[in-house]
Amino acid sequence: MTSHRFSALGPLTGAISVPGDKSISHRSLMFAGLAVGRSTIAGLLEGEDVLATAAAMRAFGAQIARNEDGTWTVDGVGVGSLLEPKTALDMGNSGTSTRLLMGLVASHAITATFVGDASLSGRPMKRVIDPLAMMGAGIEASAGGTLPLMLRGASPAVPITYRLPVASAQVKSAVLLAGLNTPGITRVIEPVPTRDHTERMLTGFGAKLEVGVENGETVIAIHGEADLKPMDVTVPGDPSSAAFFMVAASIVPGSDLTIRNVGLNPTRAGLLAVLRQMGADIEEVNPREVGGEPVADLRVRHAQLTGVDVDPAIAPSMIDEFPVLFVAAALAKGTTRTSGLDELRVKESDRLATMAAALTSVGARVEEHEDGLTIHGTGGEPLRGSANGRVKTMLDHRIAMSMAVAGLVSRDGVMVDDTAPINTSFPTFMPLLEEAAR
């Protein structure tokens, strides 16, 4: 374990670039790996999760290489032509890799075994198993529908119309990916909108995809069997990684920080809206579109935040940003209430319980409910911090980074028990923090 004390460093200033978007990085490797021909990817996030996707796509027959200039070249294997992996696919900590690749295998005549680390092996896969089994895939999972798991694809798979029982972009994407090699039209009905990177990027790669509205619900239809064409992808900066710096610059007095090239897809920009509602000073500079995704530079200046009641309807568009929002709430004036966050209990850790305990241990006033937290802010006064003890992050990268941000506004600093998990999504987090606070 690599523990580290994060202490008040002074204002965050200058300009930084966060790594490429994780969701888009995963998908760019998968879809380029399914196209026939050569694609180039710039700005790929080179964290452990995305590298697990690259390794799996190689096992399916795609050729993937990193070039000296940091771009990646992918020679695809073609939809319908996946090879059967010779060994189990190790997904590490990546729920996205697992659920999307399960969808891919489900409509190919191959068998693949998925394994992962202890944290991933506790996460629910039944939400993906159910629709894929309806399409004809054979799935043998561990007790409780978790990894390790063996999946036998169906050829041909059967097109289905599937209404999402939980708001999950990963489940939606798994069904759409299975639909790529399924004759006919596969439909997903989405009662609550979730991130739409799959739809945007599949369209860019040449899939025939229609998005419509029926009875107030979004319906996404994909036509199989698809032929994907190669495409050059530029991955925007990850809004979930930018989130830590948006909150840090908002709550550290004297800060004026620009975060370059941040993806502002509306299905992901919930935190930006909530921070502005709390009184944050965040300006979008040079808004532009890159590869079908909206992007801007964000200039964030310190502001006194005020507690708010967070609308549960916004949760899917900021589900990964709640841990760091809780830190912003702990420094705000007044009370912040969140609800409708049951999904946070089945992330890399139970993020409601873990953040409630972590923030309480550094002096914040937090009440935990079944589906959210109520946080009584300090009004901008520094948190006490953790003089002696270590904050338990439960091997969860977002908890570790959120508590690092809390350390920047604490009297005694915050000792994070293990910073190693940060590498799964944001390998440059600690160097960037030091650069911004110089």
Side-chain angles (χ1 to χ4, degrees):
M1 283 175 49
T2 324
S3 58
H4 185 86
R5 180 175 295 281
F6 294 88
S7 306
L9 296 169
L12 305 183
T13 56
I16 59 166
S17 296
V18 296
D21 185 277
K22 196 163 131 184
S23 300
I24 296 175
S25 293
H26 280 301
R27 287 161 175 82
S28 64
L29 285 171
M30 288 180 201
F31 303 166
L34 288 170
V36 176
R38 173 168 288 187
S39 300
T40 307
I41 306 169
L44 189 83
L45 168 66
E46 297 180 6
E48 292 162 7
D49 283 9
V50 174
L51 298 180
T53 291
M57 292 309 297
R58 285 192 187 105
F60 291 135
Q63 293 177 344
I64 301 178
R66 185 184 192 276
N67 306 312
E68 280 182 10
D69 64 358
T71 61
W72 289 66
T73 304
V74 181
D75 292 296
V77 63
V79 174
S81 305
L82 295 191
L83 304 181
E84 183 161 298
K86 293 185 173 59
T87 54
L89 301 171
D90 185 353
M91 298 289 102
N93 186 241
S94 180
T96 307
S97 308
T98 310
R99 293 185 179 123
L100 270 60
L101 292 171
M102 281 171 65
L104 198 53
V105 171
S107 58
H108 285 78
I110 59 174
T111 297
T113 300
F114 293 86
V115 298
D117 68 8
S119 161
L120 181 62
S121 300
R123 295 182 66 182
M125 296 298 153
K126 190 174 180 328
R127 50 180 63 180
V128 197
I129 292 171
D130 290 347
L132 297 181
M134 288 165 65
M135 296 179 78
I139 300 156
E140 290 169 33
S142 302
T146 56
L147 301 189
L149 173 153
M150 189 171 88
L151 195 152
R152 253 189 311 284
S155 182
V158 184
I160 60 170
T161 294
Y162 189 68
R163 174 181 264 99
L164 291 177
V166 283
S168 166
Q170 293 179 1
V171 179
K172 168 176 69 172
S173 300
V175 176
L176 293 175
L177 285 184
L180 280 177
N181 198 42
T182 300
I185 300 177
T186 299
R187 290 184 181 83
V188 177
I189 301 171
E190 196 176 44
V192 180
T194 64
R195 52 185 71 177
D196 62 357
H197 305 301
T198 295
E199 297 93 306
R200 287 175 187 248
M201 194 181 284
L202 273 180
T203 302
F205 274 98
K208 189 172 177 208
L209 189 124
E210 289 134 11
V211 181
V213 176
E214 287 174 26
N215 307 325
E217 297 178 321
T218 306
V219 181
I220 305 128
I222 190 156
H223 295 246
E225 300 141 296
D227 291 313
L228 299 189
K229 297 185 267 311
M231 175 171 125
D232 293 340
V233 178
T234 300
V235 180
D238 194 322
S240 298
S241 295
F244 300 102
F245 286 91
M246 285 160 59
V247 168
S250 294
I251 60 179
V252 174
S255 295
D256 182 350
L257 181 70
T258 297
I259 313 166
R260 289 187 287 252
N261 192 37
V262 180
L264 292 180
N265 182 306
T267 63
R268 298 281 299 285
L271 179 72
L272 187 57
V274 173
L275 285 176
R276 281 179 170 155
Q277 196 188 345
M278 295 173 80
D281 179 354
I282 304 175
E283 181 189 349
E284 289 168 42
V285 182
N286 184 19
R288 52 206 184 269
E289 190 165 288
V290 179
E293 294 276 350
V295 169
D297 305 326
L298 296 181
R299 183 178 180 188
V300 188
R301 282 171 272 210
H302 169 256
Q304 172 62 64
L305 303 180
T306 306
V308 294
D309 290 353
V310 181
D311 180 353
I314 209 167
S317 67
M318 56 174 292
I319 200 69
D320 286 329
E321 286 73 69
F322 276 101
V324 78
L325 175 73
F326 296 149
V327 175
L331 270 293
K333 193 169 71 190
T335 300
T336 297
R337 296 177 187 83
T338 62
S339 57
L341 302 183
D342 321 58
E343 181 68 13
L344 287 188
R345 296 212 183 265
V346 294
K347 287 287 188 176
E348 282 82 335
S349 69
D350 175 341
R351 286 185 173 158
L352 291 179
T354 308
M355 280 304 293
L359 282 170
T360 300
S361 75
V362 300
R365 289 168 53 214
V366 183
E367 296 155 29
E368 182 184 345
H369 314 288
E370 192 53 41
D371 67 340
L373 302 183
T374 296
I375 299 176
H376 306 284
T378 64
E381 288 303 308
L383 295 166
R384 183 188 69 236
S386 55
N388 307 317
R390 296 174 175 192
V391 168
K392 292 190 178 68
T393 57
M394 311 304 265
L395 297 176
D396 188 323
H397 55 123
R398 298 203 196 277
I399 305 280
M401 290 184 277
S402 299
M403 294 313 295
V405 171
L408 303 179
V409 284
S410 67
R411 287 197 299 275
D412 300 332
V414 168
M415 177 71 96
V416 169
D417 63 355
D418 194 358
T419 56
I422 291 174
N423 290 328
T424 64
S425 70
F426 199 164
T428 53
F429 174 74
M430 287 162 68
L432 277 181
L433 204 51
E434 283 166 22
E435 180 188 324
R438 269 212 294 276

